[in-house]
Amino acid sequence: MFYKLRPDFSDWNFSKITPATYICGYCGTKVSSDKGMYLKDKAMGDSYANNSKAFGVFICTSCNLPSFIAESEDGSMIQVPGINYGNSVLHLPDDVNEIYEEMRRCYSVSSYTGVISLGRILLDHIAVDWGAKSGQSFQQNVKYLKDNHYIAANSEKWVDLIRQYGNKSNHKLVINTQTDAQNIIKFCEMILKTNYEYQFIADNEI
């Protein structure tokens, strides 16, 4: 999610530190920043005046917002806020876009089960936007999308996968995985690009 700071409170009292290259979780820009506050390496002693590794709080050179970057005890990298998975899609209705972007934001905070639930809601919104009756069940909306060719025939297994993920999440104590969430976002992005972004290009630019 992108935030814009008040212009009268937009300057940081930062130090110059060992730079980190990362994708900003706020604006989505890949940056290299040496502005921020470093995590001290205890092995370097009290006199050490800079970070030995690119760990700490870094100020984005694009949007001027802070990200925390460090290494966990198991060796994996931590970045807060995390990165939105997938890509934004152009020419979406407002409600469809908001749900899709909410899916991506859920992923950035490791809320993978939330991503799955939103995937089902997103398909319901897409179906209604393309003419399905409001208030139908998820299964009816998926059938509508299939019957009206908004979902390619070779993509039906993906839709069934979303249905199965959703049923597990809604009716059983199942925690969905990062891979589950990635798969759903990829599939929804494909449907949205095909039926909205690429269709807009075909209608207006070809």
Side-chain angles (χ1 to χ4, degrees):
M1 180 180 294
F2 182 74
Y3 299 94
K4 191 171 183 180
L5 297 176
R6 282 175 47 179
D8 51 335
F9 285 93
S10 59
D11 291 332
W12 294 90
N13 184 16
F14 59 82
S15 301
K16 189 170 182 178
I17 59 178
T18 300
T21 298
Y22 63 99
I23 297 175
C24 178
Y26 296 102
C27 67
T29 304
K30 185 176 181 179
V31 298
S32 183
S33 175
D34 61 358
K35 301 187 299 182
M37 179 174 61
Y38 66 87
L39 273 179
K40 186 176 180 181
D41 184 350
K42 291 183 178 180
M44 303 301 295
D46 292 337
S47 62
Y48 191 65
N50 206 337
N51 51 327
S52 57
K53 295 184 178 180
F55 300 157
V57 176
F58 295 85
I59 307 302
C60 176
T61 56
S62 177
C63 69
N64 210 33
L65 291 171
S67 294
F68 173 70
I69 298 173
E71 186 176 336
S72 66
E73 288 184 340
D74 63 9
S76 61
M77 292 303 298
I78 302 167
Q79 180 179 329
V80 181
I83 304 168
N84 291 348
Y85 190 76
N87 300 286
S88 294
V89 180
L90 301 176
H91 311 299
L92 296 180
D94 290 343
D95 57 345
V96 172
N97 184 65
E98 178 55 35
I99 295 170
Y100 175 63
E101 291 298 335
E102 186 174 345
M103 288 177 66
R104 299 180 65 218
R105 292 195 296 271
C106 280
Y107 182 92
S108 75
V109 294
S110 304
S111 182
Y112 304 132
T113 302
V115 172
I116 302 302
S117 298
L118 285 167
R120 287 171 54 96
I121 295 172
L122 180 60
L123 285 177
D124 286 340
H125 277 257
I126 293 171
V128 171
D129 190 56
W130 287 102
K133 293 180 180 178
S134 181
Q136 291 188 139
S137 69
F138 175 74
Q139 287 75 13
Q140 289 173 313
N141 284 330
V142 170
K143 183 177 185 302
Y144 177 87
L145 291 171
K146 289 180 181 178
D147 293 346
N148 289 274
H149 311 294
Y150 293 114
I151 299 176
N154 60 357
S155 299
E156 292 184 5
K157 288 184 178 180
W158 277 94
V159 179
D160 290 337
L161 189 63
I162 290 181
R163 177 182 54 79
Q164 293 167 15
Y165 282 159
N167 285 340
K168 290 178 181 179
S169 299
N170 291 336
H171 303 298
K172 297 180 181 179
L173 293 177
V174 174
I175 305 299
N176 293 107
T177 67
Q178 182 178 19
T179 299
D180 294 339
Q182 290 177 349
N183 287 338
I184 297 308
I185 293 175
K186 287 177 183 176
F187 174 67
C188 289
E189 181 181 333
M190 176 184 67
I191 290 181
L192 294 174
K193 282 188 175 290
T194 300
N195 291 291
Y196 292 96
E197 184 171 319
Y198 298 157
Q199 187 61 46
F200 180 89
I201 294 172
D203 291 342
N204 295 274
E205 300 181 16
I206 295 178

